[in-house]
Amino acid sequence: MTPGEAAATLRAARVEGRTLEPFTDEHPDLDEAWGYAVQQVDLAERLRAGERRVGAKLGLTSEAKQQRMGVRRPVVGFLTDAMRLPEGRLDVGRWVQPRVEPEVAFLTSRRIDRALGPTELPSYVAGVAVAAEVLDSRWTGYRFRLADVLADATSAAGFVLGSGVHDLATVGDLAALRGEVRVDGQVVERATGAAVLGDPLRALVLLSEHLAAHGVALPAGSWVLAGALTDAVPLVAGRRYELELEALGTIRLDAR
Ligand code: 0L1
Ligand code: MG
């Protein structure tokens, strides 16, 4: 199966609201490079259709999530303007198996086109915000292998940014940042920033290494989602979701 064929199959299923069985069931040799090639075709199609790339996302950045999803390494995906969603009412009927997860979002201050060292990172960050990522895997029951999830835009369906963009220097230690998810007022998930690669800033290192390896750049003014602190929580119509990251704020979503 060529990357173009795979991207077309995924696009049709997304438009028709269908899930699929993983490509790797029939083609176990599909690998990481193939998965990213499908993602490139998908992104190019979206840009041709008028969407604008606004950033990148890291996924599977916590050990717990890697274990649960059975994919033992972080993944990189893209964000476009069409994926950005407002806080408040969230119409979940447009998705097939939506979930939401709390993330740290970085606004970049400089173009990233080479592998960055940890000490350089602060000078690449214009601000930090709380984010909620909406996932909607194309794979039935979120069953996939690495090539599948990469081909499927790393399950990304949308993202919501909190209203405040904070200065990295004043937010403090991101690894110590406490976060929780509440559904109808009940805490269902709790974690600290350390769940994300030991420190969410590490996501920028990983992303920069990925960009360098693929010979691409991310412009200044991009948003980068660092990956979830907690497990993703199913989005169910009629429920109210609050995703809070201490010092960054709370995102409130009313699923309809
Ligand atoms: O953002 C993420 O961590 C999602 C990566 C893919 C795994 C999943 O769908 O949960
Ligand atoms: Mg995520």
Side-chain angles (χ1 to χ4, degrees):
M1 186 179 353
T2 67
E5 288 165 349
T9 302
L10 283 162
R11 196 176 324 115
R14 192 167 60 236
V15 169
E16 293 160 18
R18 286 185 286 112
T19 60
L20 300 168
E21 299 314 308
F23 292 143
T24 56
D25 282 0
E26 275 193 35
H27 307 281
D29 294 341
L30 296 175
D31 62 7
E32 180 176 357
W34 181 88
Y36 279 117
V38 179
Q39 212 184 90
Q40 282 315 305
V41 175
D42 180 15
L43 176 60
E45 282 290 330
R46 295 186 199 219
L47 299 182
R48 252 197 304 279
E51 293 181 39
R52 198 166 49 81
R53 185 173 188 175
V54 297
K57 62 157 278 192
L58 281 287
L60 299 174
T61 46
S62 84
E63 169 70 22
K65 203 164 171 195
Q66 287 182 13
Q67 257 186 32
R68 192 141 33 255
M69 307 315 289
V71 173
R72 303 293 295 170
R73 54 168 308 157
V75 291
V76 178
F78 55 80
L79 302 175
T80 73
D81 58 345
M83 295 162 77
R84 186 159 175 185
L85 305 165
E87 197 175 345
R89 184 190 164 117
L90 195 63
D91 292 311
V92 296
R94 73 184 101 168
W95 299 302
V96 180
Q97 40 186 1
R99 299 177 178 178
V100 67
E101 55 188 19
E103 308 214 2
V104 172
F106 296 106
L107 179 63
T108 62
S109 56
R110 297 164 66 180
R111 171 185 163 94
I112 303 176
D113 56 6
R114 64 178 176 83
L116 301 176
T119 56
E120 298 179 273
L121 294 175
S123 71
Y124 282 79
V125 177
V128 195
V130 56
E133 183 180 22
V134 176
L135 304 175
D136 190 34
S137 175
R138 206 44 44 209
W139 310 116
T140 309
Y142 283 75
R143 184 180 69 85
F144 47 69
R145 295 186 186 85
L146 178 61
D148 306 303
V149 70
L150 289 172
D152 181 30
T154 69
S155 311
F159 66 102
V160 181
L161 294 171
S163 51
V165 180
H166 304 262
D167 193 356
L168 182 61
T170 61
V171 169
D173 181 7
L174 292 178
L177 207 67
R178 281 185 297 218
E180 65 181 37
V181 180
R182 296 185 289 275
V183 181
D184 291 337
Q186 301 292 314
V187 176
V188 295
E189 293 286 343
R190 226 180 224 141
T192 66
V196 182
L197 301 166
D199 184 331
L201 272 172
R202 284 268 322 147
L204 287 176
V205 174
L206 235 64
L207 175 64
S208 71
E209 290 168 354
H210 173 88
L211 294 169
H214 287 81
V216 286
L218 194 72
S222 297
W223 283 101
V224 177
L225 299 191
L229 277 76
T230 71
D231 220 353
V233 175
L235 276 169
V236 178
R239 296 197 180 147
R240 182 176 171 81
Y241 296 78
E242 290 164 298
L243 299 94
E244 178 170 5
L245 294 190
E246 182 188 39
L248 296 183
T250 304
I251 292 176
R252 294 179 179 79
L253 299 170
D254 281 308
R256 298 290 169 86

